């Protein structure tokens, strides 16, 4: 069983909708990540939070807005997405930003119509 | 800069045969190296990792990998493939100069034939 929990598992939204993806971990990890993964491709880093502060933003479009309410929770707010944003969105955590070992959730499969 | 090259996007083996998935890395400082497995419609799961110390590392499900600095390689092996090993495998590198950023290879799809 994964110790990183993501909800929802599946999400279908129109281009004018606003939705959010949620991620939770209770391992005491201090770094949390959002990745985007297209079919048959490796995960692409989007954002990194370290000690609840945004430390890396990989030039992600502003229609994706991350939020880290506390050390256990990570949200990704979605607004005005495009069909090409359809992908598997993976949340991960690590003990700290430099430890390298990532613990992934099962992902949220997003379809934008 | 750090990078990972996985040789062979598809590998097919028979059940019971040796599994060998190849990974070469580039890193300007001593790297941390990882192998992850991804089953369909799931997230990535860590198979094994090399940080420091023993260069032969053992992981879950009977997999192991050997860190060879002189060859800049970290190949993944399993003596005897099982049908349940069919999945996507990613090699990844991380180092302190890129803290927080793991670089993944393009992945290798392992097919196991009965």
């Amino acid at each position: 069983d994964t110790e990183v929990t993501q909800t929802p598992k599946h999400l279908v939204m129109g281009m004018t909708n606003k939705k959010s993806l949620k991620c939770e971990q209770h391992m005491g990890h201090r770094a949390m990540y959002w990745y985007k993964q297209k079919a048959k491709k490796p995960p692409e880093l989007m954002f990194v939070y370290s000690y609840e502060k945004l430390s890396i933003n990989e030039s992600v479009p502003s229609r994706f807005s991350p939020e880290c309410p506390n050390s256990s929770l990570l949200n990704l707010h979605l607004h005005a997405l495009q069909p090409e944003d359809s992908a598997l969105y993976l949340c991960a955590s690590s003990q700290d930003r430099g430890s390298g070992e990532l613990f992934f959730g099962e992902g949220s499969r997003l379809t934008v119509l | 800069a750090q990078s990972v090259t996985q040789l062979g996007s598809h590998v097919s083996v028979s059940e019971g045969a040796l599994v060998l998935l190849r990974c070469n890395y580039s890193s300007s400082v001593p790297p941390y190296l990882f192998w992850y497995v991804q089953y369909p419609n799931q997230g990535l799961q860590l198979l094994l990792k090399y940080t420091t110390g023993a260069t032969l590392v053992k992981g879950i499900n009977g997999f192991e990998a050997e860190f060879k600095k002189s060859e800049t390689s970290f190949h993944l092996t399993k003596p005897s493939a099982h049908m349940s090993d069919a999945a996507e495998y990613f090699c990844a590198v991380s180092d302190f100069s890129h803290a927080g950023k793991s670089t993944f290879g393009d992945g290798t799809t392992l097919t196991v034939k009965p």
Side-chain angles (χ1 to χ4, degrees):
Chain A
D1 290 339
T2 181
E3 296 184 74
V4 177
T5 304
Q6 290 188 241
T7 56
K9 291 194 183 305
H10 300 276
L11 178 63
V12 180
M13 60 186 291
M15 290 189 286
T16 59
N17 291 158
K18 286 185 180 182
K19 296 287 185 182
S20 297
L21 306 180
K22 298 184 183 300
C23 176
E24 188 170 6
Q25 59 89 12
H26 293 289
M27 294 178 281
H29 289 174
R30 304 317 301 260
M32 296 187 76
Y33 311 73
W34 280 116
Y35 283 86
K36 173 183 178 180
Q37 187 181 29
K38 291 283 212 179
K40 302 298 184 185
K41 295 291 186 182
E44 298 174 36
L45 183 65
M46 300 175 72
F47 303 103
V48 181
Y49 273 83
S50 180
Y51 290 84
E52 301 164 46
K53 294 189 188 311
L54 183 65
S55 62
I56 296 177
N57 176 342
E58 290 288 271
S59 302
V60 178
S62 60
R63 57 185 184 268
F64 295 92
S65 175
E67 178 195 20
C68 189
N70 60 55
S71 60
S72 299
L73 294 174
L74 186 66
N75 298 321
L76 186 63
H77 303 297
L78 314 171
H79 175 54
L81 295 192
Q82 304 297 310
E84 59 265 28
D85 296 321
S86 298
L88 182 67
Y89 288 84
L90 294 164
C91 175
S93 69
S94 64
Q95 190 162 6
D96 55 55
R97 203 179 72 171
S99 66
E101 179 178 351
L102 298 169
F103 292 78
F104 285 87
E106 294 196 348
S108 293
R109 175 75 60 188
L110 173 67
T111 302
V112 182
L113 301 177
Chain B
Q2 57 184 18
S3 65
V4 174
T5 301
Q6 291 184 239
L7 299 173
S9 58
H10 290 85
V11 170
S12 181
V13 300
S14 297
E15 191 173 20
L18 172 71
V19 175
L20 171 60
L21 304 183
R22 301 177 187 273
C23 173
N24 288 89
Y25 71 91
S26 171
S27 176
S28 57
V29 297
Y32 290 176
L33 294 160
F34 307 87
W35 276 100
Y36 292 89
V37 61
Q38 185 175 30
Y39 298 101
N41 299 313
Q42 293 190 24
L44 281 71
Q45 179 185 9
L46 182 71
L47 273 178
L48 48 78
K49 64 180 179 182
Y50 169 79
T51 54
T52 58
T55 56
L56 181 63
V57 293
K58 296 186 184 297
I60 62 172
N61 302 339
F63 284 94
E64 63 181 37
E66 186 170 10
F67 171 62
K68 292 187 176 181
K69 183 178 179 180
S70 61
E71 299 177 10
T72 60
S73 69
F74 191 58
H75 301 330
L76 182 70
T77 60
K78 182 174 180 177
S80 177
H82 192 273
M83 297 295 290
S84 60
D85 295 327
E88 189 78 14
Y89 291 81
F90 293 99
C91 182
V93 63
S94 176
D95 63 53
F96 286 113
S97 66
H98 295 82
K101 297 180 68 169
S102 294
T103 299
F104 288 86
D106 286 338
T108 298
T109 303
L110 176 65
T111 301
V112 182
K113 298 175 292 186

